[in-house]
Amino acid sequence: MNIAAGAETNNGRLADKPVILQMAELARFPYRSIGDRFEVIRYWQIDEPNAMLARDGAKVRGMIAAGSQRIDDVILDKLPNLEVIANIGVGYDRLDIEAVARRGIIATNTPDVLTEEVADLTVGLLIATVRRMPQAERHIRDGRWAKSPFPNSPSLRGRSVGIVGLGRIGKAVARRLQGFEVSEICYCGRTRQADVPYRHFKDIREMAAHISVLILTLPGGPETKGLVDADVLAKLGSDGIIVNVARGAVIEKDALIAALRDGAILAAGLDVFWNEPEVPQELLALDNVVLLPHVGSASQKTRAEMIELLQDNLFAWFEGRGPLTPVAETPWQGGNGE
Ligand code: DGY
């Protein structure tokens, strides 16, 4: 869908169009404007958000959820007529989804369009971590190659891989790994999935003791916070590699730093962090970790498709067609919109 540029406003002059509160700039998205269809309040540019919410909060009917602002009762209380929250990304842990659902607000996310892109990045990050590709590149750039060859790296060959979160992205990662002839692919989850050929573990500790590569593709949020702790890392062991493209909080930060520093695990590849865009100094100082700035879905093509899906959800909602991709906790039962 083509969106014309330019008509958003931030000046409190709210017209007849549905009013959308956009929480953060979509800086890495090829986002132009939805100002021809909606009146957009740019929350992140407002000096006194509480005053704005007191004045205009009741006019807001839609939200674009982006950035690190948590969407919970504190802000929802100020938006009594909010109908729909369009979340950028497949992960919607920035929403207190229980509070959203309780109020009868529909939340949408951007699944499917990013699955293959994130899976590519995950496998790329795994190989970069195992074969120490960024370190090898630094070896050249620092002028060290002529003096000494780059040391041999560990190998992916013969490793058993465990995936936590065998959803759409986890399955796409597993499919790719089949082409790499790893020794075994396992997954961990509450229930065994009938349609997959991989070994199932109910317990992450049991799986960690069985594998040497742990890949995290599970949703973030309170239920999965701190799932990977010192015990899981110890069970993964000194040859163990962890790749996290899920959310930083899924791993206990101090436990991971200690495990990497003390050799309790071999290496980590991280695309996500605990308080982005901050990256702990201790990690920056370590040579056995590969760090990416949360770019799992960040190709030009996929980001364009994500923003299009987000916008299409808002268009569909306000045209009375219902949301296109509501999240599981806020299923659409009909009867919305204009
Ligand atoms: C997601 O979709 O949740 C990703 O983390 C955004 O890149």
Side-chain angles (χ1 to χ4, degrees):
M1 190 162 301
N2 207 10
I3 313 299
E8 291 151 68
T9 179
N10 191 16
N11 60 9
R13 183 189 48 79
L14 302 177
D16 297 338
K17 302 170 191 171
V19 176
I20 302 286
L21 182 61
Q22 180 174 343
M23 301 311 293
E25 191 174 17
L26 294 167
R28 291 186 298 164
F29 291 82
Y31 166 80
R32 294 193 295 278
S33 172
I34 50 175
D36 55 337
R37 303 278 294 267
F38 302 109
E39 202 73 37
V40 179
I41 303 175
R42 298 173 169 196
Y43 186 83
W44 76 99
Q45 291 183 345
I46 292 185
D47 292 335
E48 293 186 42
N50 282 336
M52 179 278 291
L53 288 172
R55 189 186 65 225
D56 293 330
K59 298 175 187 158
V60 171
R61 295 176 59 196
M63 176 188 282
I64 296 175
S68 56
Q69 168 79 46
R70 181 124 180 98
I71 309 302
D72 56 14
D73 280 321
V74 176
I75 188 156
L76 293 174
D77 276 346
K78 297 174 179 140
L79 304 169
N81 297 311
L82 185 62
E83 299 165 29
V84 62
I85 301 177
N87 176 78
I88 192 73
V90 69
Y92 47 95
D93 49 304
R94 63 171 67 86
L95 310 183
D96 177 344
I97 197 63
E98 190 274 323
V100 172
R102 178 173 11 98
R103 289 161 193 266
I105 299 166
I106 293 282
T108 67
N109 65 345
T110 61
D112 297 324
V113 292
L114 49 65
T115 301
E116 307 302 327
E117 203 75 79
V118 177
D120 285 352
L121 191 285
T122 307
V123 174
L125 180 55
L126 169 62
I127 294 171
T129 305
V130 179
R131 299 300 308 277
R132 297 175 52 79
M133 285 163 63
Q135 296 91 329
E137 207 226 20
R138 283 202 292 275
H139 193 75
I140 292 185
R141 287 185 189 272
D142 295 351
R144 285 181 272 141
W145 192 12
K147 293 172 203 137
S148 59
F150 186 70
N152 294 340
S153 73
S155 174
L156 189 60
R157 305 270 73 75
R159 286 181 181 271
S160 173
V161 180
I163 298 173
V164 187
L166 198 74
R168 283 175 278 226
I169 294 172
K171 283 183 179 141
V173 170
R175 268 200 317 275
R176 282 161 175 71
L177 287 176
Q178 286 179 314
F180 284 91
E181 298 172 357
V182 292
S183 73
E184 190 180 9
I185 298 173
C186 314
Y187 70 102
C188 173
R190 249 170 295 185
T191 47
R192 179 188 299 278
Q193 301 190 36
D195 57 339
V196 300
Y198 318 119
R199 177 165 173 185
H200 173 244
F201 287 87
K202 259 197 178 138
D203 179 27
I204 189 170
R205 285 160 220 283
E206 216 183 297
M207 185 172 83
H210 179 77
I211 57 175
S212 64
V213 174
L214 181 64
I215 297 182
L216 304 173
T217 53
L218 69 167
E223 280 185 20
T224 58
K225 187 164 184 234
L227 179 75
V228 177
D229 57 14
D231 187 37
V232 172
L233 294 167
K235 289 198 161 60
L236 191 58
S238 59
D239 190 38
I241 288 160
I242 185 161
V243 171
N244 189 9
V245 296
R247 288 292 181 264
V250 166
I251 309 179
E252 277 186 9
K253 180 175 76 174
D254 293 344
L256 178 65
I257 292 168
L260 285 164
R261 193 190 49 219
D262 303 341
I265 65 168
L266 186 64
L270 307 175
D271 185 44
V272 287
F273 299 88
W274 298 267
N275 184 28
E276 296 174 7
E278 267 172 43
V279 177
Q281 202 54 44
E282 298 95 319
L283 284 180
L284 293 172
L286 289 170
D287 185 51
N288 55 346
V289 56
V290 176
L291 306 166
L292 296 179
H294 200 150
V295 290
S297 62
S299 72
Q300 291 154 358
K301 175 185 190 302
T302 294
R303 285 289 165 93
E305 287 175 14
M306 289 166 70
I307 196 73
E308 194 158 301
L309 180 54
L310 178 147
Q311 290 173 328
D312 284 349
N313 265 294
L314 289 174
F315 297 152
W317 178 265
F318 286 105
E319 286 163 12
R321 291 185 279 121
L324 303 180
T325 50
V327 306
E329 294 88 341
T330 67
W332 182 56
Q333 275 137 13
N336 69 289
E338 311 282 79

